[in-house]
Amino acid sequence: MSSSNKIWLSSPHMGGTERNFVTEAFDTNWVAPLGPNVNGFENDLELYQGQDTHVAALSSGTAAIHLALIQCGVEAGDEVICQSFTFCGSINPIKYLGAKPVLVDSESTTWNMCPIHLEEAIKDRIEQGKKPKAIVAVHLYGMPYQVDLINEVASKYDIPVVEDSAEALGSTYKGQKCGTFGRFGILSFNGNKIITTSGGGAMVCHSQEDRENTVFLATQARDDAPHYEHTTIGYNYRLSNISAGVGRGQMEVLDKHIGLRRAMNSFYVNAFRDIDGVTVFQEPSEDYYSNHWLSAILIDTNKTNGISREDLRHAFAKANIESRPLWKPMHLQPIFKDAPYYGTGVAEELFETGLCLPSGSNLTNDDRERIQKVIFELFNNK
């Protein structure tokens, strides 16, 4: 293991003003899950997302998916379609509700849900008497999914889309922000995301009514009464005013951080330019604009003289540089082994050959030199 400081895959990057918002919250004793920072953070997100959206700040992106599925009418025994190639937070809320996930393969262009397999899954579930209640579609690693095609299929069968944009804040499809295309949009501000509130997330709604219902459910579903009255099961999912203060400071540097992440992607394109068999994940056309939350590559060992994803990962680890395999598809996870799956193995191949690379907006020139050195030595000395 190298004695140099560790280069992380994606670490938090503060902008400088976060402390001011947090200090003000302490000075005014606004430390509960409500207050000026929560309101301000939601307003900032609404302005940023556009499309006349209404935002509710929550404790996590996973909580947002949970509340979105509830509002889509998902109940125990229902089925919900989700792409298999994703983080477990996209799919676990389906199980929270006692519903059953139906897993769909990716397409190789955006690595996201394949619209052909999506329609195949819907038709088959309907034939079996189980029309899916919702579709959870993910913008993986910041890359927009094929929005027009996925939403066209969803509309054809009148199934709402829960748009998981946890990794895609600032990404756009045809100029429109990710998180604004679905029945509900989901954002995440976990510590490794493009901006962070330490832990946190948000629900993007298209009506004030949906936003108010989200907040109602997220604050223990307390009815309008002088005492505590409850006619609906609620949850403790609201974001704190302290965390929201961090978010307000982070919003001031969001676009800068996106630029720096995209610059890291360009760095990798250049680093692997002359290495046959390594492909850097990039936008398929000008319709797509990725924040490149994480830059990722695919390695074809048939063209790299046998050098594999694992060879590169171990070489990075030896130099104290974090890298990580792509998400292991959910249909390969023990907990979801019995879930119906529709696909042809695209996600499996991505998992076997893909690697996420250090992508943080706070990486230095020295960091890039260390990364480049590992790449050069591995691929030029074998």
Side-chain angles (χ1 to χ4, degrees):
M1 179 72 73
S2 169
S3 60
S4 302
N5 291 334
K6 184 161 186 173
I7 297 176
W8 297 97
L9 193 71
S10 179
S11 62
H13 186 189
M14 294 295 100
T17 63
E18 295 88 354
R19 187 185 300 269
N20 297 336
F21 290 107
V22 172
T23 298
E24 182 180 3
F26 274 104
D27 289 345
T28 57
N29 203 33
W30 278 109
V31 295
L34 75 167
N37 283 337
V38 175
N39 298 335
F41 187 40
E42 291 173 338
N43 290 337
D44 291 343
L45 287 166
E46 289 171 354
L47 289 172
Y48 189 82
Q49 290 295 96
Q51 304 299 313
D52 193 29
T53 51
H54 304 266
V55 173
L58 302 171
S59 58
S60 69
T62 306
I65 293 175
H66 187 191
L67 297 185
L69 293 175
I70 290 172
Q71 292 178 87
C72 288
V74 176
E75 298 178 342
D78 289 335
E79 293 189 347
V80 176
I81 290 178
C82 183
Q83 71 190 54
S84 181
F85 191 46
T86 186
F87 175 61
C88 66
S90 302
I91 189 171
N92 282 343
I94 299 170
K95 300 292 286 185
Y96 297 170
L97 293 167
K100 300 177 181 179
V102 175
L103 303 174
V104 170
D105 201 1
S106 297
E107 37 79 13
S108 58
T109 303
T110 72
W111 299 2
N112 292 308
M113 184 179 287
C114 174
I116 295 172
H117 291 311
L118 170 62
E119 185 160 22
E120 174 193 355
I122 293 172
K123 286 181 176 179
D124 189 53
R125 304 323 292 177
I126 290 175
E127 286 178 4
Q128 296 188 40
K130 279 287 187 180
K131 180 181 176 181
K133 278 289 191 73
I135 298 166
V136 179
V138 187
H139 302 294
L140 205 68
Y141 301 125
M143 185 65 69
Y145 61 74
Q146 294 183 359
V147 173
D148 288 343
L149 294 177
I150 294 295
N151 285 7
E152 180 181 337
V153 173
S155 178
K156 179 179 178 180
Y157 294 93
D158 192 27
I159 302 174
V161 173
V162 175
E163 185 188 356
D164 185 348
S165 299
E167 302 172 3
L169 180 61
S171 298
T172 64
Y173 177 75
K174 293 184 176 179
Q176 183 174 330
K177 292 284 173 52
C178 290
T180 64
F181 294 101
R183 170 75 171 82
F184 295 100
I186 307 304
L187 303 175
S188 172
F189 312 111
N190 191 30
N192 63 358
K193 294 302 189 292
I194 200 155
I195 63 169
T196 184
T197 57
S198 179
M203 177 92 83
V204 182
C205 306
H206 291 283
S207 71
Q208 183 62 23
E209 180 182 0
D210 281 345
R211 189 259 174 196
E212 289 176 357
N213 194 43
T214 299
V215 172
F216 171 72
L217 292 171
T219 50
Q220 301 290 20
R222 180 186 177 187
D223 294 333
D224 186 15
H227 55 277
Y228 282 86
E229 184 82 8
H230 304 278
T231 54
T232 303
I233 294 294
Y235 306 88
N236 185 17
Y237 280 170
R238 205 70 163 105
L239 188 68
S240 81
N241 198 57
I242 300 296
S243 297
V246 178
R248 293 185 73 184
Q250 288 275 279
M251 286 298 294
E252 296 178 355
V253 293
L254 171 55
D255 285 336
K256 178 183 177 182
H257 285 190
I258 291 172
L260 291 167
R261 299 257 178 175
R262 288 175 58 82
M264 280 304 301
N265 186 263
S266 297
F267 162 78
Y268 288 120
V269 169
N270 185 66
F272 290 105
R273 188 179 304 278
D274 298 323
I275 300 175
D276 193 26
V278 179
T279 305
V280 179
F281 187 35
Q282 291 186 286
E283 294 92 336
S285 76
E286 292 183 356
D287 287 342
Y288 299 81
Y289 178 89
S290 174
N291 64 16
H292 287 300
W293 168 61
L294 289 185
S295 287
I297 57 171
L298 300 178
I299 298 180
D300 183 350
T301 55
N302 294 320
K303 298 179 180 179
T304 59
N305 294 320
I307 297 173
S308 68
R309 183 273 307 280
E310 285 298 275
D311 291 327
L312 181 55
R313 186 176 69 84
H314 288 303
F316 276 137
K318 188 175 180 180
N320 208 14
I321 298 171
E322 184 183 24
S323 63
R324 189 175 298 165
L326 304 186
W327 299 123
K328 183 177 182 179
M330 291 296 108
H331 73 276
L332 299 181
Q333 299 285 354
I335 193 67
F336 298 119
K337 67 183 188 317
D338 295 328
Y341 168 69
Y342 298 81
T344 54
V346 171
E348 295 172 39
E349 184 175 354
L350 291 170
F351 170 61
E352 292 295 334
T353 62
L355 188 69
C356 293
L357 305 174
S359 306
S361 51
N362 53 359
L363 295 177
T364 66
N365 287 333
D366 286 343
D367 294 333
R368 282 182 279 274
E369 287 178 9
R370 285 174 57 193
I371 294 168
Q372 179 105 37
K373 181 180 178 182
V374 171
I375 294 169
F376 180 84
E377 290 182 350
L378 178 65
F379 286 94
N380 288 280
N381 291 339
K382 187 166 182 177

